[in-house]
Amino acid sequence: MNDLVFWMFWIFMGASIINTLHIGFYLVSANLYDIQQFKRQSLIRRSNKKLPKVSIVISAHNEEKVIERTLQSLVKVKYPNLQVVVMDDASTDNTAGVILRFAEKHPKFDLTIRYKRQNVGKGRALNSAIQRYAKGDLVMTLDADCVLHPMAVRNAVRYFEDPTVAGVAANVRIIREPGVLSLLQVLEHMIGYRSKKAYSVTNSECIIGGVGSTYRREILEQVGFYDTDTLTEDIGLSM
């Protein structure tokens, strides 16, 4: 019995030490990332390079309750060379009507609306929108139920000053709702995107999440755009 307790104690201690080192690695690496980015952003602010055109592409299927909020946030984006493309993926509700009313209220907003007669799925809808209608050198994909920060596009573009950067992941924050599950989801994203900073420092990040992800258009063309045979098209594209 004493031997069992002895080994259980050391197994527990070993696991605790590994987890502590693991957390410490994430914290230190994430802080190093923040320092690197602060220096990089200072250099980029002094750059006089022309801002590239950015196309924000949205696939929408039965999103009448949320898509106007998303479009309202895009109107407030502080970026001068922006195009928005919405592909209505055969919605059966009033998604199309909501988008059209929004376009009428904002005639100067560069908004392209296209429709699929049959539901083809998110991957195919995004590919169609990018290949046929997106004009930007950089392409950002956004879900129809998201709110974009006014500086999000400008911040994403700054990373592409580095010619070795092919894609940029967004820092996704959950819109809080009452309940424990919502709180857990908030914590999950906080930890997950802190971890992404650590992975970036070690050049080991291999997944760029779909929401707010931005790619060079030429890279999308080289890899054949989004996968269409999976529900996780963003993971497939990253890999």
Side-chain angles (χ1 to χ4, degrees):
M1 185 67 179
N2 289 335
D3 288 342
L4 178 61
V5 172
F6 174 83
W7 285 112
M8 287 181 64
F9 170 79
W10 283 110
I11 290 172
F12 175 79
M13 286 296 294
S16 298
I17 291 171
I18 291 172
N19 284 327
T20 301
L21 292 174
H22 195 198
I23 293 171
F25 164 75
Y26 281 140
L27 291 175
V28 172
S29 297
N31 289 333
L32 287 174
Y33 175 89
D34 289 337
I35 293 170
Q36 290 176 358
Q37 295 310 308
F38 178 78
K39 292 180 178 178
R40 187 184 63 82
Q41 297 286 4
S42 297
L43 292 173
I44 291 173
R45 289 190 188 99
R46 295 195 289 269
S47 172
N48 294 320
K49 290 185 178 180
K50 182 180 178 181
L51 293 173
K53 189 175 187 67
V54 176
S55 294
I56 296 179
V57 180
I58 302 172
S59 171
H61 178 70
N62 292 346
E63 305 284 2
E64 66 176 354
K65 295 182 179 180
V66 293
I67 195 164
E68 184 174 5
R69 180 183 64 183
T70 300
L71 295 173
Q72 288 286 2
S73 74
L74 298 183
V75 171
K76 299 175 183 177
V77 168
K78 299 182 183 301
Y79 193 80
N81 202 3
L82 187 68
Q83 174 202 22
V84 176
V85 180
V86 179
M87 180 63 73
D88 183 349
D89 189 15
S91 296
T92 56
D93 64 358
N94 194 37
T95 297
V98 172
I99 300 171
L100 287 172
R101 283 200 304 270
F102 180 88
E104 291 173 358
K105 293 178 182 177
H106 301 84
K108 295 183 180 180
F109 187 55
D110 189 354
L111 174 61
T112 300
I113 311 164
R114 292 295 182 266
Y115 309 90
K116 289 292 183 184
R117 294 182 179 179
Q118 294 182 334
N119 181 251
V120 297
K122 185 177 178 181
R124 283 191 173 87
L126 288 175
N127 286 345
S128 178
I130 295 169
Q131 292 173 277
R132 300 178 64 183
Y133 307 109
K135 302 175 182 177
D137 302 308
L138 301 175
V139 177
M140 174 185 286
T141 56
L142 198 66
D143 288 349
D145 60 350
C146 295
V147 175
L148 199 64
H149 189 280
M151 295 302 294
V153 174
R154 189 175 291 269
N155 289 339
V157 167
R158 286 172 175 166
Y159 287 90
F160 292 96
E161 290 279 340
D162 182 348
T164 66
V165 172
V168 174
N171 184 359
V172 180
R173 299 177 182 178
I174 300 301
I175 298 175
R176 283 294 307 274
E177 296 181 357
V180 176
L181 289 178
S182 177
L183 176 61
L184 291 175
Q185 194 174 22
V186 169
L187 294 174
E188 175 193 6
H189 276 72
M190 287 175 60
I191 295 170
Y193 279 90
R194 198 69 180 168
S195 302
K196 281 184 175 294
K197 292 183 176 183
Y199 296 143
S200 295
V201 168
T202 57
N203 198 29
S204 57
E205 178 59 66
C206 61
I207 299 299
I208 297 178
V211 182
S213 61
T214 308
Y215 285 95
R216 297 186 191 274
R217 183 186 178 90
E218 61 191 49
I219 294 296
L220 294 176
E221 293 173 349
Q222 288 175 20
V223 300
F225 299 94
Y226 282 96
D227 287 348
T228 58
D229 59 349
T230 175
L231 294 177
T232 54
E233 73 289 330
D234 53 341
I235 295 177
L237 176 61
S238 298
M239 298 301 290

